[in-house]
Amino acid sequence: MKTFNEYLEIVNKEIKAIPYPQTPSNLYEPISYTMALGGKRIRPVLVLMACDAVGGDVQQALKAAVGLELFHNFTLLHDDVMDNADVRRGQATVHRRWNSNVAILSGDTMLTMASQYMCQVPTEHLAAVNELFHATAIEVYEGQQYDMDYEHRREVSVEEYINMIRLKTSVLLGCACKLGAIIGGADEKTAQAFYEVGENLGIGFQLQDDVLDVWGDEATFGKEIGGDIMNNKKTYLMVNAFKLANEEQAGRLRRWYTDSYAMKQEKVPAVTRIYEELGLREIADKAIEEYTQKALSVLETIELSAEAHESFGALAASLVKRNK
Amino acid sequence: MKTFNEYLEIVNKEIKAIPYPQTPSNLYEPISYTMALGGKRIRPVLVLMACDAVGGDVQQALKAAVGLELFHNFTLLHDDVMDNADVRRGQATVHRRWNSNVAILSGDTMLTMASQYMCQVPTEHLAAVNELFHATAIEVYEGQQYDMDYEHRREVSVEEYINMIRLKTSVLLGCACKLGAIIGGADEKTAQAFYEVGENLGIGFQLQDDVLDVWGDEATFGKEIGGDIMNNKKTYLMVNAFKLANEEQAGRLRRWYTDSYAMKQEKVPAVTRIYEELGLREIADKAIEEYTQKALSVLETIELSAEAHESFGALAASLVKRNK
C-alpha cells in the first residue's frame, strides 16, 4: 500500500494528462479549468486504495478513478448552475466566468468523458463497472433533486436528510471503493463490503461538512463560516434543531429562518447559539463517530493485510476529523 | 425486413415500457413527459433497420435503439434550455413547464439512462457500442457549441455550416446505422459503410429542415414557417445568401438581419425573396439530392438483400422528400 499522497500524485498526474481538443474552445476550456481547480480527489484515491488493498494492479484502475473524478466535477459544475453559486474552490464558477449555457454543455461533455474513462477497464470488468457507475450516477441525481425539493419544505425529518446525503454524496464514495475492489479482482461479497465502507464514511464526511460550516475555522476550512445558516440550507444541524427545539427555541429559529434581511453578523451567532443550547455539536460528533465506526467494523469483516486495514483506518480518521 | 411503421411500433412499445421510479417526481415526470411527446423516432428505427439488414436479431438491438432515442431527447431537452425555447413538438418545453433546474437535472438523468440502455447489448459488442456512442455524443456537443458560437458571428462559411450540422445532427444518424450493424454482427467495413449512409442522409435531412422552414407548409410542417429567419439562425440558406449576394442584396439582407424590431409579416417574405432571387431553393435542393445520392451509392457497396436495399432506399427518399 502507498500513502494517500502517493495515490494522489498518481491521480493528479493522470488528470493533468487528460487530452482536451483545441476547438470548440468554449466547450473544452471550462472543462480543463474545472479539472485544474483541484479538490481533495478523495474519490479517485479511494478507487486506487481499494484496488491496491485487494491485491489488484493500481494502473488498471487509474482510468476509472479519473472517470469518477470527472463525474464528480461534472455534478459540481451543474449543481453550481442550479444553486446559482458564484465561487467554487476560491475561483469563479464556470457559469459566472463564461455563462450558464457553456456550463450546461461543458458539464454534459464531462459526463460523457467520465463514461469514456469508465470504459477503459479490463474487458472482464466492463459490464460490472458500467452497471455500478450508472446506478450510482442516477442515485446522485436523485439526491440533488431531493436537496432542491427540501429547500421549499420547512419540515424535513432526520431520516429524510440522512437519505438525501446518502444519495447525493455517500453512494459515490461507496461506488469509488467498490469500483476499485471490482477492478482489483475482488469477489462480489468483498466488493460489496467495500461499498458499505465508502458509503458510511461518506455520511460521516458530509455530517462533518455540516459541522465545519458552523464551528470550523474560516482560514482552514477555505469557505465562509455560516454559509449554510445564511442560506437556510437543510443540514443535519438544522433538521435536528427543528426536531429538538422547545417552543421558545423553535420560535427564535423560525424568526431567523424567515428574516430575509437578517445581517450575517447577527444571524450566524444567534442560530449557532440555538444549536449549542440544543447540544447539537455533540449530537453531530456522536453521529459522525457512529458512521465512522460502522465503516471500520465493515472493514474488519474483509480479509486484508494489516497494512491495508491500517491505511483505510487512517483515511477514515482523517476524513471525519478533518478541519477543511 | 419490416416496414418503417413496423419498426416504429416495436420502438414505441419499448419506449412506453421504460420504467420510471415514482420519486423524486420532479426528476422522473419531466423524463416521461419528454419521451411521451413523440417525434419521428428515426434514430431508433435506423438502429433496428440496419441490424435487420445485416441479418441480425432486432430484439438484441432494441435496448440500444431506445438508448439512442433517450440520448437524442436529452440533447433536445438541454438545447431547449440553452435556446430558451418555449415549445417542443407542440407542447411546453420542460424548463417552461417546470423550471430550468429541473430541465438540467432531468436531462442529466436521461443521459445516464441512455448509457444504461446502451449497455444492454450482447457482451461481445459492449466495448464497440460504448466507444461509438461516447465518441458520437461528444461530437454532438461540439456541434451544439459551434451552433451557439456561430450565433455571435456574422460570417460563417458554407463549409463551417456543413461541418456544424454534420456534428450536431448527422453523426447521430450515422451512429444509429452503425450501432445496428455492429449489434447485427456486421464486420467493421460494413458497419463503417452503414455509418456513412446515415451520416449523409443526416446532412440531407438537416438541409431539408432548413428548406422547410422557409418554403414548407405550416400546417404540415408542424412548426411556424420563417422561425429561422426571424431568429437570424445560421442555416444553409443564410450562409449561402451572404456568400452569393451582390452588394445591393447583401445590404438588404444585412438590414433585415440587424433590425431587431422587424415585423414577421414583413421580414420573412423579404428575406425569402432574397433567397429566391439567389436561386437558393434550387441550390439547396441540389445539395440535398447530392447527399442523398452519396448515401445511396455507399449503400450500393454493401452486400445486402434486394429487400434491404429497397427499404433503405425508400427511407432515404422519404427523409429528404418529406414535408414535415
Side-chain angles (χ1 to χ4, degrees):
Chain A
M1 298 288 289
K2 302 181 197 303
T3 65
F4 186 95
N5 281 333
E6 285 167 334
Y7 294 117
L8 182 63
E9 210 171 297
I10 300 173
V11 164
N12 277 335
K13 205 176 145 198
E14 191 72 18
I15 287 173
K16 270 205 190 113
I18 296 172
Y20 301 103
Q22 289 286 311
T23 54
S25 58
N26 277 338
L27 190 66
Y28 291 112
E29 276 174 17
I31 302 178
S32 91
Y33 172 80
T34 299
M35 293 309 289
L37 285 179
K40 300 184 218 41
R41 313 287 197 207
I42 290 167
R43 292 156 195 81
V45 167
L46 278 177
V47 174
L48 301 192
M49 275 183 71
C51 176
D52 211 358
V54 300
D57 175 357
V58 164
Q59 283 303 318
Q60 291 194 337
L62 187 51
K63 299 285 183 185
V66 170
L68 212 64
E69 187 67 7
L70 276 162
F71 174 79
H72 173 57
N73 280 272
F74 138 73
T75 65
L76 298 181
L77 210 169
H78 275 192
D79 282 7
D80 284 343
V81 178
M82 294 184 240
D83 299 344
N84 201 18
D86 296 325
V87 176
R88 165 74 60 188
R89 291 169 181 152
Q91 303 285 327
T93 49
V94 168
H95 71 109
R96 276 280 169 277
R97 191 170 162 141
W98 284 269
N99 58 56
S100 55
N101 284 359
V102 161
I104 293 171
L105 197 59
S106 301
D108 293 345
T109 308
M110 286 174 86
L111 174 52
T112 294
M113 287 174 67
S115 294
Q116 285 182 313
Y117 272 85
M118 209 54 80
C119 283
Q120 293 178 57
V121 293
T123 316
E124 71 261 38
H125 303 307
L126 191 55
V129 162
N130 271 291
E131 195 180 328
L132 173 60
F133 171 55
H134 295 143
T136 304
I138 298 270
E139 289 183 319
V140 172
Y141 310 140
E142 291 181 350
Q144 168 69 1
Q145 186 62 54
Y146 283 123
D147 198 11
M148 294 198 296
D149 287 345
Y150 290 172
E151 270 176 41
H152 308 287
R153 268 176 52 185
R154 210 188 68 198
E155 298 236 0
V156 172
S157 72
V158 175
E159 291 67 34
E160 284 175 319
Y161 177 75
I162 292 286
N163 189 48
M164 184 271 281
I165 62 168
R166 190 184 67 78
L167 292 167
K168 186 169 171 174
T169 303
S170 315
V171 294
L172 198 57
L173 275 78
C175 172
C177 291
K178 186 168 178 177
L179 277 180
I182 290 172
I183 299 167
D187 59 38
E188 170 58 25
K189 196 170 148 263
T190 304
Q192 189 51 36
F194 266 101
Y195 183 88
E196 285 169 38
V197 171
E199 193 185 19
N200 283 289
L201 284 181
I203 296 177
F205 179 81
Q206 181 57 49
L207 296 185
Q208 180 67 6
D209 228 51
D210 291 358
V211 166
L212 285 173
D213 181 76
V214 179
W215 293 289
D217 174 64
E218 199 151 304
T220 332
F221 188 35
K223 289 189 215 171
E224 259 190 311
I225 298 304
D228 291 348
I229 291 175
M230 287 311 290
N231 294 322
N232 289 332
K233 218 172 150 353
K234 300 290 183 307
T235 64
Y236 188 69
L237 303 163
M238 171 80 88
V239 298
N240 268 291
F242 273 114
K243 181 180 158 195
L244 300 174
N246 61 31
E247 215 170 301
E248 183 272 328
Q249 289 164 324
R252 263 191 287 155
L253 203 54
R254 214 165 294 126
R255 224 160 37 242
W256 286 112
Y257 195 74
T258 50
D259 180 358
S260 353
Y261 296 102
M263 304 288 287
K264 194 180 161 204
Q265 58 266 46
E266 293 178 41
K267 180 173 173 175
V268 173
V271 173
T272 303
R273 199 167 316 123
I274 301 171
Y275 287 171
E276 288 173 353
E277 286 169 18
L278 294 169
L280 285 179
R281 185 164 191 177
E282 293 70 30
I283 290 175
D285 280 346
K286 191 163 160 269
I288 293 166
E289 181 65 24
E290 280 170 9
Y291 282 107
T292 312
Q293 280 311 321
K294 177 78 200 293
L296 294 177
S297 72
V298 176
L299 192 68
E300 286 302 316
T301 66
I302 313 175
E303 260 187 63
L304 298 173
S305 68
E307 202 195 351
H309 274 293
E310 218 169 281
S311 289
F312 270 90
L315 177 71
S318 77
L319 280 185
V320 294
K321 282 177 188 143
R322 73 203 158 94
N323 51 17
K324 59 179 183 181
Chain B
M1 299 288 290
K2 302 181 197 304
T3 66
F4 187 94
N5 281 333
E6 285 168 334
Y7 294 117
L8 181 63
E9 209 173 298
I10 299 173
V11 163
N12 277 335
K13 204 176 146 199
E14 191 70 18
I15 287 174
K16 270 208 189 110
I18 297 173
Y20 302 104
Q22 288 287 311
T23 56
S25 58
N26 278 336
L27 192 66
Y28 291 111
E29 276 174 16
I31 303 177
S32 90
Y33 172 81
T34 299
M35 295 307 291
L37 285 180
K40 299 184 220 40
R41 313 288 195 207
I42 291 166
R43 295 155 193 82
V45 167
L46 278 177
V47 175
L48 301 192
M49 274 184 70
C51 177
D52 210 359
V54 300
D57 175 357
V58 164
Q59 281 303 317
Q60 291 194 336
L62 187 51
K63 299 285 183 184
V66 171
L68 212 64
E69 186 66 9
L70 276 161
F71 174 79
H72 173 58
N73 280 274
F74 138 73
T75 65
L76 299 181
L77 209 168
H78 275 193
D79 283 6
D80 283 343
V81 178
M82 295 184 240
D83 299 343
N84 202 18
D86 295 325
V87 176
R88 167 73 60 188
R89 290 171 182 149
Q91 302 286 324
T93 50
V94 168
H95 71 108
R96 276 280 168 279
R97 189 169 163 141
W98 284 270
N99 57 57
S100 55
N101 284 358
V102 161
I104 293 171
L105 197 58
S106 300
D108 294 344
T109 308
M110 284 174 86
L111 174 52
T112 295
M113 286 174 66
S115 295
Q116 285 182 313
Y117 271 84
M118 209 54 80
C119 283
Q120 293 177 59
V121 293
T123 315
E124 71 262 36
H125 303 308
L126 191 55
V129 163
N130 271 290
E131 196 180 327
L132 173 61
F133 171 56
H134 295 143
T136 304
I138 298 270
E139 289 183 319
V140 172
Y141 309 140
E142 290 181 349
Q144 167 69 0
Q145 186 62 55
Y146 283 123
D147 198 12
M148 293 198 296
D149 287 346
Y150 291 171
E151 270 177 42
H152 308 287
R153 270 176 53 185
R154 209 190 67 197
E155 298 237 1
V156 172
S157 72
V158 175
E159 292 67 33
E160 285 175 318
Y161 177 75
I162 292 286
N163 189 47
M164 184 272 282
I165 63 168
R166 190 185 65 78
L167 292 167
K168 188 170 168 172
T169 303
S170 314
V171 295
L172 198 56
L173 275 76
C175 173
C177 291
K178 185 168 178 177
L179 277 180
I182 291 173
I183 299 168
D187 59 41
E188 169 59 26
K189 196 170 148 262
T190 305
Q192 188 52 36
F194 267 101
Y195 183 89
E196 284 169 38
V197 172
E199 194 184 19
N200 283 290
L201 284 181
I203 295 177
F205 178 81
Q206 180 57 50
L207 296 184
Q208 181 68 3
D209 228 50
D210 291 358
V211 166
L212 286 174
D213 180 76
V214 178
W215 294 289
D217 174 63
E218 199 151 306
T220 331
F221 189 35
K223 289 188 216 173
E224 258 190 311
I225 297 305
D228 292 347
I229 291 175
M230 287 310 291
N231 293 322
N232 288 332
K233 221 173 149 349
K234 300 290 182 306
T235 63
Y236 188 71
L237 304 163
M238 170 80 86
V239 297
N240 267 293
F242 273 114
K243 181 181 158 195
L244 301 174
N246 63 30
E247 215 170 302
E248 182 271 327
Q249 289 164 322
R252 262 191 287 154
L253 202 54
R254 215 167 293 124
R255 223 161 38 243
W256 286 112
Y257 195 73
T258 50
D259 180 358
S260 352
Y261 296 101
M263 303 289 287
K264 195 180 160 203
Q265 59 266 45
E266 295 178 37
K267 180 171 173 175
V268 173
V271 173
T272 301
R273 200 166 316 121
I274 302 172
Y275 288 170
E276 288 172 353
E277 286 169 21
L278 294 168
L280 285 179
R281 186 166 190 176
E282 293 70 29
I283 292 176
D285 280 346
K286 191 163 160 269
I288 293 166
E289 181 65 23
E290 279 170 10
Y291 283 108
T292 311
Q293 280 310 322
K294 177 79 200 295
L296 293 178
S297 72
V298 176
L299 191 68
E300 286 301 316
T301 68
I302 313 175
E303 261 185 63
L304 297 175
S305 68
E307 201 195 352
H309 275 293
E310 217 168 283
S311 288
F312 269 91
L315 178 69
S318 76
L319 280 185
V320 295
K321 282 177 189 145
R322 72 202 157 96
N323 51 15
K324 60 180 183 178

